[in-house]
Amino acid sequence: MADAKILATIERSNTEQLQISVSEYKGKSYLNMRIFYTTDEGQTWLPTKKGVTFAPDQLDILSEAIEEAKQEFMKEEE
């Protein structure tokens, strides 16, 4: 895979984070959500097998699911 452009990082612990990125593979672009880990106090982050990749035509489905989840969470807070 080509170099990924990291869009967001969500800390899960001192040694683990979720990286959300866009990258290219075989000439096609993808959105990746993958767990990365570090063994050197954050100097280097390495990918794990835990993750998911979305093709561009799947992003609307993902976006709709996130919006629906946000609505559900707002209901719970009321």
Side-chain angles (χ1 to χ4, degrees):
M1 269 198 197
D3 285 343
K5 176 183 178 185
I6 297 173
L7 305 176
T9 301
I10 300 170
E11 299 294 328
R12 292 174 46 98
S13 72
N14 288 341
T15 59
E16 197 174 77
Q17 62 182 213
L18 173 68
Q19 290 185 10
I20 303 170
S21 63
V22 174
S23 61
E24 198 174 286
Y25 181 69
K26 293 187 178 181
K28 295 185 179 179
S29 295
Y30 295 94
L31 175 72
N32 298 297
M33 295 184 191
R34 185 151 313 276
I35 302 294
F36 280 69
Y37 71 98
T38 184
T39 57
D40 58 8
E41 298 180 6
Q43 300 288 324
T44 309
W45 289 93
L46 303 167
T48 69
K49 292 182 179 181
K50 297 176 187 173
V52 64
T53 301
F54 296 93
D57 63 355
Q58 298 171 317
L59 294 183
D60 284 342
I61 297 167
L62 177 62
S63 179
E64 289 169 14
I66 290 170
E67 285 303 316
E68 194 170 323
K70 288 164 70 174
Q71 294 297 323
E72 288 295 320
F73 295 140
M74 288 172 65
K75 285 181 195 172
E76 289 176 11
E77 291 176 4
E78 290 175 358

